[in-house]
Amino acid sequence: QQHFFCVKSRHPYAVRYNDTSVLEMHHVAASYRIILEGTECNIFQSMKDNSYLNIRSVVVSTVLATDMSHHFAELGKLKSRSVSGNFLKSEADMKSDRSLILNVAVHACDISNPAKSISTYVYWAERAMTEFFAQGDREKELGIPVSMFMDRATTNIAKCQIGFIDIIVSPLFSQLQQVLPRVEAATKCLDSNKRFWARRVDHMETEMTKGTQAFPILHSDQDPDQQSPTASAAQIRPPPDEPRQIP
């Protein structure tokens, strides 16, 4: 369940956190509650207050930065600071620059699935789309507007993935690469994985129309450009006893 679903459905988390970064707020609060409520998990118990507060500040900042509502603002800040010529060099801006790059790096990790090898990417994309469609089904049951890309009857999975790469992931990773050149390995995966889906738009349109929404099977982790676009209507091979079609 995503942030906006929690807000629209008046979930207790949304009420508790005043409709603000609902899931991110919950994740940080729940984690610290578990850590601090006893000694078994308390990694901070021997730490000085200043160190604890500094770490907590970074944790809260980076986790809240994974809220997609901050995506374009954080990307804009990174672009602005990157062209300044003194990013991560100016003593006056060092604290805010370090916070910014940490926030962007953790957020990049959070949305990095399309930047991974094709087998890993498709494997987890199937799980993400399963969650999306389950939320869309629930939204229909509750009579609230279905969130974008969460209606199994109208979502072409290939177009969904291409849009995610083009609009969200690639711009962030391309900008991050200007600061961290080794991110190039991830941007290359983004390019090849986008081509993988571009060759399957028509095939996934058929899957959507049939109501099966089955993922293409991958026979290996070979170059995505070498994978057959319509080799099978089956999903990527799941572990034993797991369903092969998005429920």
Side-chain angles (χ1 to χ4, degrees):
Q1 296 174 350
Q2 293 191 325
H3 166 82
F4 290 111
F5 175 81
C6 291
V7 173
K8 290 186 294 184
S9 63
R10 304 178 186 180
H11 191 281
Y13 291 165
V15 175
R16 179 180 302 167
Y17 300 114
N18 299 314
D19 300 343
T20 303
S21 300
V22 173
L23 297 178
E24 293 78 15
M25 289 280 198
H26 167 68
H27 293 155
V28 175
S31 297
Y32 269 85
R33 184 183 68 251
I34 292 170
I35 290 171
L36 298 177
E37 67 184 4
T39 59
E40 184 177 349
C41 299
N42 193 344
I43 58 176
F44 303 122
Q45 58 186 338
S46 300
M47 190 174 290
K48 294 182 179 180
D49 286 346
N50 283 344
S51 296
Y52 168 79
L53 293 174
N54 286 336
I55 291 174
R56 178 165 169 78
S57 175
V58 170
V59 170
V60 172
S61 177
T62 54
V63 174
L64 294 188
T66 63
D67 181 346
M68 282 300 301
S69 67
H70 302 313
H71 173 84
F72 292 105
E74 292 291 291
L75 177 57
K77 291 178 186 177
L78 182 61
K79 287 181 177 178
S80 177
R81 290 299 296 139
S82 296
V83 301
S84 69
N86 64 352
F87 184 52
L88 292 172
K89 297 176 182 178
S90 167
E91 287 298 324
D93 297 314
M94 186 59 71
K95 183 176 180 179
S96 60
D97 282 352
R98 286 177 173 174
S99 178
L100 175 60
I101 196 64
L102 281 171
N103 288 351
V104 172
V106 172
H107 176 46
C109 292
D110 191 42
I111 62 173
S112 66
N113 193 41
K116 298 175 181 176
S117 67
I118 187 63
S119 62
T120 300
Y121 169 32
V122 173
Y123 188 82
W124 287 103
E126 185 269 336
R127 279 148 180 73
M129 294 308 302
T130 298
E131 291 185 7
F132 276 21
F133 292 157
Q135 178 175 314
D137 293 344
R138 183 61 177 151
E139 287 170 334
K140 290 178 181 179
E141 291 174 5
L142 295 174
I144 58 181
V146 179
S147 301
M148 184 179 294
F149 300 131
M150 297 192 184
D151 190 334
R152 67 176 70 242
T154 61
T155 298
N156 180 313
I157 291 174
K159 290 181 180 179
C160 170
Q161 294 301 310
I162 292 170
F164 184 48
I165 291 171
D166 278 345
I167 298 171
I168 301 295
V169 188
S170 279
L172 184 68
F173 273 76
S174 295
Q175 193 60 48
L176 193 58
Q177 185 182 337
Q178 303 303 311
V179 183
L180 303 172
R182 293 178 68 179
V183 171
E184 181 183 9
T187 59
K188 286 182 177 179
C189 280
L190 286 170
D191 291 339
S192 62
N193 290 339
K194 178 183 172 181
R195 292 194 299 271
F196 171 88
W197 285 115
R199 298 173 64 224
R200 289 164 172 78
V201 169
D202 291 342
H203 179 62
M204 297 313 295
E205 188 75 15
T206 301
E207 288 296 319
M208 180 191 74
T209 302
K210 292 192 303 182
T212 48
Q213 293 287 27
F215 269 59
I217 206 164
L218 296 185
H219 299 287
S220 68
D221 199 17
Q222 68 189 63
D223 187 327
D225 293 331
Q226 303 302 314
Q227 299 279 354
S228 172
T230 57
S232 172
Q235 294 173 334
I236 184 169
R237 298 189 190 280
D241 300 324
E242 284 197 16
R244 295 180 61 83
Q245 182 173 304
I246 291 184

